[in-house]
Amino acid sequence: MRELQADVLIIGSGGAGLMAAAKAAEKGARVLVVDKGLPSKSGSTVGAAGLAATGPWSPPEDSADMHFRDTVVGGAFLNDQLLVRIMVNEVADRVRDLERWGMPFDRKEDSSYFLDIAAGHSNPRLLARSDRVGVGMAKVLWSTALRMGVEGRGDVVVTRLLKRNGRVAGAVGLDLESGELLTMGAGAVILATGGIGQLYPLTSNSVYTTGNGLAMAAEAGAVLVNMEQVQFYPECLVHPESIRGFGLGIAEHSRLFNGREERFLAKLDPVGLEKGKTRDIMSRAIYGEIREGRGSEHDGVYLDATQVPREVFRNFRHEYELCLENGIDLMKERAEVAPGAHYFMGGIRIDEKCKSSVPGLYAAGEVTGGVMGGNRLSGNSLADILVFGARAGVYAAEEALERGNEAHSDLDPEIVREEEERMRAFLERRRTGPRPSEIKDRLRGLMWERVSVIRSEASLEAALGELNDLGEQLPRSAGMGGGWVHNRELMEYLEADHMLLVAEMITRSALMRKESRGAHFLEEHPERRDDEWLVNTAMRLGPEKFRLSAEPVRFTEMMVED
Amino acid sequence: MLVRIYRYDPEGDGEPRYGSYRVPFEGRMTVLDVLRYVYRELDGTLAFRWACGIGKCGTCSVRLNGKPVLSCRQPIDGGADEVLIEPLANYPVVKDLVVDRERYQRGLSNSLIHLRGMDRVPLLLTPRLITDEALGECIECLVCDSGCPVLIERLQEYPGPSLLTGVAGRSESDEAPNEALEEARFEVFRCLQCGRCTAACRGGVSTDHLILAAREGLARRGLLPEALQAFGETVAVQHNVSGEDNSGRLIWAQNLEGGLAVAEAGTPLEVLYFVGCLGSLFPSSYRVPQALVQILEAAGVPYGLMGGEEWCCAYPLLLGGMTDQARELIRHNLNAVRGRGAPRMVMACPSCYYTWKELYPQVMGEEVGVEILHAVELLESLVDEGRLPLGEVPMRVTYHDPCDLGRKSGIYEAPRQVLRAIPGVELVEMVDNREDALCCGGGSNLETYDPELMRKVAHRRLGQALETGAEAIITACTQCERTLKDAARRERAKVRVMDVTEIVWRAAKAAGQDRKGGDGEGLL
């Protein structure tokens, strides 16, 4: 067992975690960032294509107020408006931080910023670097954090948060590289673990997005909100297998056809067709076609970008090349796409300082709920991680430095022992039950069937039963005999445990919301019901396990009728 | 398909081994698909990395059949019976295919690279080299480091291409003094400019060009290492790399049987032969121009030479960042060549060739206006057209691809075609050939700057050549020939090293082409 100590411990090293790290270090805190995979590489940030921000680069008709309005309308009024206001107001400053640290955004020939347009945004608003803005951001943030003295450790699978006197004061996990258990003590802990894409069989997210932070926060007693809100990116490749799940950005400019060669969006909007539809609407339309047997060869629909002008493809260079290598020339032929899990709007409830409901625990980025409401607009995720990553870093550092260093060897020794026992038992079991990867597969299958784009009360109830079965199988699961070092099966076992808990929280929250709003669509209640359901679903784990309640949404600026 | 995978378990007996796995090949599979299949279906203890699966995170790199690749973007050749997957080279293995990237992370955190991510290089003297295209997008996959012939010899000191790309990322106009560049300056000049990193990069980063730009930045700040400063001054003043009187550029022709058959003034030239500094002024390299002019004469090609009017092509200056001085030499050469009125130029030196063909237009912003051929291209056409009958030379040979001719200029097959056209020649390939060829160590002024390092690289390449069992290493570069010959001599290796012009001339003589009647043996 090894012990590490820091002022601020950050779990997760995508954009939110690294921004937090840089800002906390700037405040003078000793910062430790850990990640399940390689630092800066394993989250969703590297895959991101655009950053929504208004600033001096914006056209005169755009403003932070417009950005606010678009975000709240797009989010089906479920957004925490106080947080949205902070995001739209502060993102320009964070863009300037990035540029100061070396981030180049695409400019036009006259050196003004290139701004992309996207559904739900009333103006061109997305800063870009071809379609690889996330790659550049992750690189700039990581090298900046390192330069500021941040300690970064990859290959650390954090499994539980640790407390002292009711405050979160550290975490325990497995160091894959040494094969040792690692306890980390800190004055404050920031969760920046990202989303849950791996709960579904088709996802645009990285292999590491298993919702660990959500599970750990819930186990530590934090309130999570709107857990039913899972965003599907409507146009993810279903074929070929090598790049299954890859979300096509060119979709914004493309036409969709079902297996019968119909522009099926015409049923919804005969004039506008695919234009300007947010992701929730597009996903339901596509999912509906597939479910009704009008899909394409590989259970998707056809995306046709052959009419898209060549100069538009220049903004999708990586995407075009990747598809071409995999046998699809998007300029000449159609691709097969379906909705893939892309972004999680639900998550840890935070205040404007990124504090969760548990003392000592902060959160930022996709692991939090509230900012995006019921649907996230494209580009808003990078805005979110920059703004709230920075805030989490600053406020967590302030709190940690105020509290000073405390020894942590006494941190929840019971939990640490439990975790070690659990891992050891897994390693010692020999083929008594399914492999962790098989449990994950079954979980993904049932989540797609029952808890995805279109849900029903019956499907959700059935899902709970099946999740329960899987939960009973997991303690019997076994691997093929690896040791402690870089044992992927052990990591998958630890992930599956968290995934089952998160899946259940999603399903239970979905059962609670008896309406359709944002990404949540319930067949029995296909309408939005503002009279009764303009509320957050709030989930908390207690002695009686899941406790759900309706909490008011903060309407600080804008009501539905505005 | 049989897949062999490198396995190492630090908790086991400490011995690496290779695991063999049968993988059903379906349509199209990437290396990552294969690894996922092995893990899921055959062996759950396999350790390997990946995160995004779409070429953006840069964590899944491995070596496929010895070549560093990004596994999610590397298709497997469906026709192969067997493939070999190993961890990246030049990084310590933690387990199986997982390597420890600490060296790179340390480099990122020290001041050397605090310009990392600053992916733009405006205001340099070679702006045409450093376009947005050249910058590409580094995803830190470290594939470049895995193939670097310098890094493998200097793991403790050399930053490797991955980190050196960042060194170039500062503009002249930045207010802060570029401490990182100053700190890195001694290593920046150890890059061989072999282009292996650039060829392997999936992000489109022209690392070799970025390093040139970094050198230029150093030169402009007066931060060149002393040896290179002195060397550059010699070239700039004497107009050649040897420092001798430039009027002696035709000394190699003095002992030529029958003298030179240079076309008379006024005769229309078919080709102007730009000999290059090594062939002109280094006695050990005289054989190359001697062979080439005799070939030209035997084939009846009216050719011209420039003697003292030929100045160094300026590549050594460009490699040393001394772009201003290089421009003077280039201007002179352009004027001199255009004055001769030949439609074509030929060079046996790939560095001259690459510089004339690729760098002159970029540095000067104008076209050369003369067709530029490497000797192997001319030889190939002479053989093809039947202008140069070749007799038997029974010899097992291997061909060493010069970096400036192969990776930098894309010429791989012409020299091989010529060798195959010689009756009796058996051509065998080294393990790293064509675009994967290892540098001989003689690139980029390293002979001047760090001869010890050059010898280490040469030793490694010589080893690959000896493994083939060839009697002779044939190359198409005067500098490669020198470097490999030196390595062979030091190791007392039983292998001959010669230029392709030399073996072709020998074959031509065997076919009775030495019409002047001399036996020519003294020359070859």
Side-chain angles (χ1 to χ4, degrees):
Chain A
M1 168 124 59
R2 298 185 59 189
E3 295 182 5
L4 296 171
Q5 181 77 33
D7 295 322
V8 177
L9 168 66
I10 300 172
I11 304 167
S13 70
L18 294 178
M19 191 54 151
K23 289 290 178 179
E26 223 171 36
K27 280 267 160 190
R30 269 187 313 142
V31 182
L32 171 63
V33 189
V34 296
D35 198 293
K36 268 197 290 180
L38 287 172
S40 83
K41 300 294 201 174
S42 311
S44 299
T45 302
V46 286
L51 162 56
T54 62
W57 47 80
S58 297
E61 59 276 20
D62 203 10
S63 64
D65 288 346
M66 298 282 280
H67 190 185
F68 176 92
R69 190 184 177 82
D70 292 342
T71 301
V72 172
V73 171
F77 289 87
L78 213 48
N79 317 63
D80 181 327
Q81 296 189 4
L82 196 62
L83 299 181
V84 177
R85 173 51 67 183
I86 289 170
M87 179 180 83
V88 300
N89 281 8
E90 293 183 4
V91 64
D93 288 340
R94 298 293 79 79
V95 168
R96 291 306 190 206
D97 281 343
L98 279 180
E99 291 189 315
R100 193 158 50 86
W101 294 333
M103 175 75 198
F105 290 102
D106 283 345
R107 309 261 190 147
K108 290 185 274 195
E109 285 198 351
D110 62 0
S111 87
S112 65
Y113 288 80
F114 169 81
L115 297 174
D116 208 354
I117 48 168
H121 289 287
S122 52
N123 286 296
R125 193 179 282 156
L126 269 60
L127 298 166
R129 177 164 171 73
S130 185
D131 52 350
R132 306 162 304 192
V133 77
V135 171
M137 264 180 59
K139 204 161 71 179
V140 167
L141 287 169
W142 178 223
S143 55
T144 301
L146 283 172
R147 196 165 74 243
M148 291 179 175
V150 167
E151 184 186 355
R153 294 178 74 97
D155 301 318
V156 176
V157 188
V158 180
T159 57
R160 297 281 287 274
L161 297 173
L162 301 177
K163 287 185 182 175
R164 180 189 295 111
N165 304 327
R167 289 176 45 83
V168 170
V172 59
L174 172 67
D175 178 7
L176 291 171
E177 190 169 318
S178 67
E180 291 172 298
L181 221 64
L182 195 62
T183 61
M184 295 151 277
V189 175
I190 301 173
L191 283 171
T193 52
I196 55 122
Q198 290 296 324
L199 265 63
Y200 291 88
L202 189 70
T203 178
S204 60
N205 292 176
S206 99
V207 71
Y208 289 109
T209 53
T210 49
N212 305 67
L214 296 161
M216 290 191 285
E219 282 172 345
V223 174
L224 297 97
V225 292
N226 299 330
M227 295 289 283
E228 72 282 359
Q229 298 291 348
V230 181
Q231 179 174 82
F232 286 79
Y233 191 87
E235 301 94 357
C236 291
L237 289 175
V238 292
H239 183 79
E241 193 60 33
S242 300
I243 50 169
R244 203 180 132 77
F246 182 51
L248 293 181
I250 199 83
E252 198 82 51
H253 308 271
S254 308
R255 308 182 299 171
L256 295 175
F257 294 86
N258 64 16
R260 299 180 187 168
E261 300 297 325
E262 297 160 340
R263 289 285 287 276
F264 55 93
L265 262 302
K267 287 179 265 187
L268 203 65
D269 179 358
V271 181
L273 291 156
E274 296 89 358
K275 281 275 163 291
K277 305 278 180 303
T278 49
R279 292 169 178 175
D280 47 345
I281 296 169
M282 292 296 286
S283 288
R284 275 196 295 281
I286 297 171
Y287 188 88
E289 293 302 307
I290 299 167
R291 201 173 64 162
E292 300 307 318
R294 295 190 293 271
S296 62
E297 189 188 342
H298 297 93
D299 279 335
V301 297
Y302 294 108
L303 176 141
D304 182 355
T306 57
Q307 315 284 317
V308 178
R310 265 171 193 264
E311 60 266 24
V312 174
F313 272 99
R314 260 198 304 233
N315 302 325
F316 298 93
R317 203 156 60 190
H318 174 84
E319 174 171 321
Y320 177 73
E321 286 170 11
L322 187 70
C323 288
L324 194 62
E325 285 167 22
N326 284 278
I328 307 168
D329 183 345
L330 289 171
M331 289 189 199
K332 296 190 183 129
E333 58 199 320
R334 306 192 297 190
E336 288 182 66
V337 297
H342 183 61
Y343 187 84
F344 192 51
M345 278 77 66
I348 303 166
R349 191 185 65 193
I350 54 166
D351 67 10
E352 56 273 30
K353 291 186 169 180
C354 295
K355 282 183 173 174
S356 74
S357 58
V358 181
L361 182 64
Y362 292 74
E366 192 175 351
V367 77
T368 69
V371 180
M372 304 305 169
N375 179 56
R376 175 176 70 78
L377 301 186
S378 61
N380 268 353
S381 184
L382 293 189
D384 171 54
I385 61 176
L386 292 178
V387 169
F388 292 102
R391 281 187 163 243
V394 167
Y395 294 118
E398 280 179 4
E399 183 179 342
L401 292 172
E402 252 169 52
R403 299 186 66 85
N405 279 333
E406 296 168 21
H408 71 290
S409 50
D410 58 335
L411 273 179
D412 277 336
E414 223 19 66
I415 290 186
V416 175
R417 210 165 16 248
E418 263 174 44
E419 290 304 283
E420 180 155 26
E421 275 317 303
R422 187 161 69 103
M423 295 180 207
R424 188 178 302 284
F426 173 80
L427 292 179
E428 286 170 0
R429 275 197 294 278
R430 290 283 175 266
R431 298 305 280 164
T432 50
R435 291 172 70 195
S437 54
E438 295 170 61
I439 294 195
K440 278 172 141 186
D441 280 349
R442 283 184 231 165
L443 171 111
R444 293 184 182 114
L446 82 90
M447 290 299 282
W448 176 248
E449 287 293 319
R450 310 199 188 284
V451 199
S452 61
V453 179
I454 296 176
R455 303 152 175 184
S456 72
E457 288 177 317
S459 75
L460 294 171
E461 291 288 357
L464 284 180
E466 292 172 37
L467 284 170
N468 191 50
D469 290 347
L470 288 179
E472 283 171 11
Q473 289 180 37
L474 186 65
R476 292 191 292 111
S477 76
M480 291 173 72
W484 287 86
V485 175
H486 275 287
N487 186 332
R488 182 173 282 269
E489 291 195 294
L490 175 56
M491 178 176 80
E492 293 211 76
Y493 168 70
L494 299 171
E495 287 176 335
D497 186 43
H498 285 159
M499 289 164 76
L500 283 166
L501 174 57
V502 176
E504 181 157 359
M505 291 194 286
I506 291 171
T507 310
R508 288 187 183 275
S509 298
L511 263 173
M512 176 179 170
R513 187 178 288 283
K514 307 288 188 207
E515 63 154 355
S516 293
R517 178 184 302 274
H520 173 67
F521 187 88
L522 202 57
E523 280 183 310
E524 291 88 343
H525 304 282
E527 303 299 324
R528 193 165 108 180
R529 295 170 57 197
D530 288 341
D531 52 335
E532 194 179 342
W533 285 103
L534 213 43
V535 292
N536 295 316
T537 57
M539 162 77 69
R540 172 181 284 178
L541 286 194
E544 72 279 30
K545 200 92 191 193
F546 300 96
R547 206 166 72 214
L548 269 161
S549 59
E551 289 193 350
V553 175
R554 283 202 277 196
F555 295 106
T556 50
E557 297 191 35
M558 188 178 167
M559 290 304 291
V560 175
E561 54 271 24
D562 296 343
Chain B
M1 172 182 294
L2 185 68
V3 179
R4 293 178 64 229
I5 302 178
Y6 177 94
R7 302 299 306 267
Y8 167 71
D9 182 1
E11 297 166 280
D13 61 9
E15 287 302 313
R17 61 186 180 85
Y18 285 86
S20 295
Y21 308 91
R22 287 254 161 235
V23 176
F25 190 85
E26 292 156 16
R28 183 193 179 282
M29 281 178 103
T30 62
V31 175
L32 182 59
D33 291 333
V34 167
L35 295 176
R36 286 190 285 214
Y37 181 88
V38 170
Y39 166 73
R40 288 297 299 261
E41 307 297 333
L42 305 174
D43 189 346
T45 68
L46 178 67
F48 63 109
R49 279 192 196 285
W50 69 286
C52 76
I54 54 170
K56 285 188 168 181
C57 74
T59 66
C60 67
S61 355
V62 296
R63 277 181 300 154
L64 172 67
N65 299 326
K67 187 175 176 175
V69 298
L70 196 59
S71 70
C72 70
R73 293 188 74 179
Q74 182 63 44
I76 297 255
D77 173 9
D81 297 328
E82 188 178 318
V83 296
L84 175 64
I85 303 176
E86 297 168 294
L88 278 188
N90 295 342
Y91 283 87
V93 175
V94 179
K95 185 180 180 188
D96 300 340
L97 301 174
V98 174
V99 297
D100 179 0
R101 297 172 42 131
E102 204 268 334
R103 194 190 73 81
Y104 176 76
Q105 186 170 317
R106 203 175 52 235
L108 273 188
S109 58
N110 77 24
S111 64
L112 176 70
I113 290 302
H114 69 224
L115 18 90
R116 183 82 199 175
M118 194 90 178
D119 282 352
R120 62 197 160 88
V121 192
L123 302 177
L124 283 161
L125 270 176
T126 48
R128 288 175 198 86
L129 288 179
I130 311 303
T131 58
D132 248 13
E133 292 292 319
L135 288 166
E137 188 76 85
C138 169
I139 56 168
E140 304 171 300
C141 65
L142 309 186
V143 156
C144 54
D145 285 350
S146 184
C148 176
V150 174
L151 183 58
I152 194 170
E153 310 295 349
R154 279 180 79 76
L155 279 173
Q156 297 308 315
E157 306 90 353
Y158 191 64
S162 63
L163 291 166
L164 280 175
T165 52
V167 173
R170 264 283 154 105
S171 79
E172 292 275 306
S173 63
D174 280 346
E175 288 165 24
N178 198 345
E179 290 157 21
L181 203 50
E182 291 182 28
E183 214 175 283
R185 68 191 177 118
F186 297 108
E187 297 302 329
V188 166
F189 287 95
R190 289 198 162 86
C191 164
L192 281 161
Q193 291 284 303
C194 74
R196 247 186 156 201
C197 49
T198 301
C201 180
R202 294 309 307 263
V205 183
S206 298
T207 302
D208 47 346
H209 284 177
L210 290 170
I211 290 171
L212 275 191
R215 291 176 176 183
E216 187 179 13
L218 286 168
R220 297 198 72 196
R221 292 177 182 79
L223 293 173
L224 285 182
E226 253 174 59
L228 289 173
Q229 180 73 45
F231 177 61
E233 280 162 15
T234 299
V235 176
V237 173
Q238 296 297 333
H239 308 142
N240 62 62
V241 299
S242 77
E244 286 166 40
D245 187 340
N246 203 50
S247 64
R249 274 192 180 256
L250 291 178
I251 290 174
W252 55 269
Q254 283 176 359
N255 296 330
L256 214 52
E257 292 287 331
L260 275 176
V262 177
E264 301 282 323
T267 317
L269 298 180
E270 192 170 324
V271 64
L272 184 64
Y273 175 26
F274 190 90
V275 181
C277 296
L278 292 186
S280 300
L281 297 161
F282 285 65
S284 58
S285 300
Y286 286 170
R287 292 173 185 198
V288 175
Q290 286 169 345
L292 186 55
V293 296
Q294 290 180 100
I295 290 168
L296 291 173
E297 196 208 329
V301 179
Y303 69 96
L305 292 160
M306 293 162 66
E309 280 305 286
E310 177 184 314
W311 288 9
C312 171
C313 69
Y315 196 36
L317 292 174
L318 293 170
L319 289 169
M322 291 167 271
T323 315
D324 284 324
Q325 296 92 321
R327 283 207 162 111
E328 279 183 42
L329 271 63
I330 296 172
R331 175 52 59 207
H332 165 89
N333 278 335
L334 283 171
N335 290 340
V337 164
R338 287 169 183 161
R340 300 300 290 261
R344 299 195 292 175
M345 291 173 73
V346 67
M347 295 145 190
C349 169
S351 300
C352 295
Y353 172 79
Y354 170 70
T355 306
W356 271 88
K357 199 160 176 163
E358 301 295 331
L359 298 184
Y360 275 22
Q362 297 195 47
V363 174
M364 305 305 279
E366 59 185 89
E367 290 304 314
V368 171
V370 175
E371 189 190 354
I372 295 160
L373 294 174
H374 187 270
V376 294
E377 296 176 285
L378 185 63
L379 292 177
E380 190 189 23
S381 64
L382 292 178
V383 171
D384 268 3
E385 292 160 14
R387 292 170 74 178
L388 189 66
L390 299 175
E392 189 166 354
V393 181
M395 199 184 287
R396 182 179 166 90
V397 306
T398 187
Y399 176 71
H400 165 77
D401 290 277
C403 304
D404 287 327
L405 189 64
R407 269 187 301 271
K408 297 281 184 83
S409 304
I411 298 181
Y412 300 109
E413 298 312 319
R416 289 177 168 82
Q417 283 301 103
V418 170
L419 288 173
R420 284 194 204 98
I422 302 174
V425 163
E426 181 198 355
L427 177 62
V428 288
E429 295 290 350
M430 285 183 257
V431 53
D432 291 328
N433 62 70
R434 297 182 170 85
E435 65 267 25
D436 301 327
L438 200 60
C439 179
C440 70
S444 189
N445 304 338
L446 196 66
E447 185 179 354
T448 304
Y449 183 56
D450 187 348
E452 197 46 47
L453 179 59
M454 175 193 79
R455 285 182 201 120
K456 285 183 182 168
V457 179
H459 169 75
R460 201 173 285 274
R461 185 54 165 168
L462 179 71
Q464 290 191 344
L466 295 178
E467 274 171 28
T468 66
E471 299 159 67
I473 304 169
I474 310 295
T475 185
C477 169
T478 330
Q479 175 68 356
C480 294
E481 185 190 8
R482 263 165 60 80
T483 314
L484 291 170
K485 213 177 242 173
D486 178 64
R489 189 173 47 77
R490 283 173 181 279
E491 287 167 43
R492 298 190 162 80
K494 289 212 178 319
V495 66
R496 307 186 58 173
V497 183
M498 57 175 126
D499 193 86
V500 67
T501 50
E502 297 173 58
I503 192 169
V504 167
W505 176 236
R506 177 184 285 215
K509 279 189 299 178
Q513 293 300 303
D514 48 341
R515 273 169 277 170
K516 288 195 200 85
D519 65 11
E521 280 301 320
L523 295 174
L524 283 178

